[in-house]
Amino acid sequence: MKHFVFGAAALFCATAAAAQNWDMPTPYGDSTFHTQNIAQFADDVRAATDGGLDITLHSAGSLFPHAEIKGAIRNRSVPLGEFFLSRLSNEDLAYGVDSQPFVATSYEDAKRLWAAQEPVITELLAEQGLMPLFSVPWPAQGLYTNGEIAKVDDLNGLRFRAYNAALEEFATLAGASPVQIEASNIPQAFATGQVDAMITSPSTGVNSTAWDFVTHYTPINAWVPKNIVVINKRMFDRLDADTQAAVLAAADTAETRGWEMSAAEAESMTAALAENGITVYEPSAALIEGLQGISETMLGTWDAAASDSARAVLNAYNSQ
């Protein structure tokens, strides 16, 4: 009997010693479907490992600002985290192919693009000791303004919210003035006059209560950008084989679930914009033609600056 008690105590101590608590920063609030999907990912890992790996989510940039999350993972301040993939376009344009206007404008296109992008992104991140776990798209990006936009010239002079370099270039080519604003600061930016128009997903529009500061929305479906969840490879390698397998299985499930959540969001959140008083209208042929002209200009600029890795992504996508 004494032997049994000692053995049970030893087993408990060994289990406690093996248990790990990981902090995971994300840039978006708890109401965002990306955050909800990651919360389920953390629950799945916890359940699959019987609490051996407990991931604590720190949403809305509460642990690290969005711009610092990738660096924090790289220097092992945290083991893993989420960020907007095309934020890394300044490192290599391969990261931002999904934010090039009118390259991929549907979920079907976005899946094909990710199939071309993932092996290149994996290789680039590996050079920095990082490993992608899963990637989930936002709904296709739409245009939010005060009043209907009939043609690109109607954007001239507007202060335009931007969230990456591609959108800054897009706004500039449209004659607007880009201003970098994080999603969490959108309402304040409109309220203080920093911006008066934006291109973003219907999800972000609803989460920021866009009806408080704009009147019109049109689903131009300009691009389908993605978030990515990345883990520090050294910290992943320190996990035992069973825990590694649990993390990878939960990641695969999260990617599948996240794409499904995104598609559902695209429909429900566009409806929510209308229900809250925003006029939702189909873009005119003239507007789409003008936007596609901007896209062609941007692709020319992109190609001139693109690395071999970036061109490989686009070539693989176009050849599918």
Side-chain angles (χ1 to χ4, degrees):
M1 185 66 174
K2 290 182 180 179
H3 176 73
F4 172 78
V5 172
F6 174 79
L11 178 62
F12 174 81
C13 291
T15 302
Q20 297 192 59
N21 297 304
W22 280 8
D23 291 311
M24 180 177 182
T26 71
Y28 305 100
D30 294 335
S31 63
T32 304
F33 78 93
H34 283 283
T35 308
Q36 293 168 357
N37 184 41
I38 290 172
Q40 184 61 56
F41 161 76
D43 287 344
D44 290 347
V45 170
R46 191 178 302 111
T49 61
D50 292 325
L53 181 56
D54 190 356
I55 298 172
T56 300
L57 210 57
H58 300 269
S59 60
S62 57
L63 186 61
F64 289 100
H66 195 169
E68 297 178 13
I69 290 177
K70 183 248 189 177
I73 305 167
R74 187 178 181 186
N75 66 26
R76 301 196 299 281
S77 295
V78 290
L80 75 173
E82 177 203 32
F83 51 84
F84 192 62
L85 182 59
S86 63
R87 288 186 67 95
L88 306 187
S89 294
N90 62 325
E91 297 182 15
D92 194 296
L93 291 177
Y95 290 112
V97 182
D98 60 6
S99 289
Q100 286 296 308
F102 297 99
V103 170
T105 60
S106 67
Y107 283 107
E108 182 180 357
D109 287 346
K111 284 185 177 180
R112 291 193 301 109
L113 181 55
W114 179 230
Q117 202 177 15
E118 184 176 15
V120 175
I121 297 302
T122 299
E123 185 175 336
L124 289 171
L125 289 173
E127 294 172 1
Q128 302 182 48
L130 304 174
M131 184 177 79
L133 287 178
F134 60 93
S135 182
V136 172
W138 291 91
Q141 306 291 280
L143 176 64
Y144 295 78
T145 54
N146 283 300
E148 183 172 332
I149 300 296
K151 56 188 184 303
V152 167
D153 287 348
D154 294 341
L155 298 173
N156 188 59
L158 296 181
R159 292 179 295 275
F160 215 90
R161 181 245 172 172
Y163 53 67
N164 61 17
L167 191 44
E168 284 189 354
E169 182 183 3
F170 182 92
T172 301
L173 289 171
S177 300
V179 183
Q180 282 281 346
I181 301 291
E182 286 289 343
S184 59
N185 296 325
I186 287 174
Q188 181 182 5
F190 274 91
T192 58
Q194 284 182 279
V195 294
D196 41 33
M198 64 180 177
I199 290 178
T200 194
S201 71
S203 301
T204 300
V206 170
N207 289 337
S208 60
T209 61
W211 46 86
D212 289 339
F213 45 81
V214 296
T215 60
H216 284 65
Y217 170 79
T218 180
I220 58 176
N221 296 338
W223 54 88
V224 185
K226 297 182 292 293
N227 288 358
I228 192 167
V229 171
V230 169
I231 191 169
N232 184 282
K233 184 64 164 57
R234 184 180 296 181
M235 299 192 78
F236 177 79
D237 288 343
R238 289 176 181 172
L239 299 173
D240 63 71
D242 287 344
T243 304
Q244 288 181 356
V247 170
L248 294 178
D252 285 345
T253 300
E255 181 158 295
T256 299
R257 180 178 58 237
W259 282 75
E260 293 171 351
M261 292 174 75
S262 181
E265 281 265 322
E267 183 175 346
S268 65
M269 295 296 106
T270 300
L273 292 172
E275 290 166 4
N276 282 280
I278 288 183
T279 299
V280 178
Y281 65 100
E282 288 300 312
S284 68
L287 177 58
I288 292 298
E289 182 180 356
L291 294 174
Q292 288 176 335
I294 291 175
S295 170
E296 291 173 6
T297 300
M298 289 180 65
L299 270 179
T301 303
W302 182 92
D303 186 70
S307 65
D308 290 342
S309 295
R311 290 196 187 93
V313 171
L314 197 57
N315 289 340
Y317 170 68
N318 288 332
S319 65
Q320 291 178 19

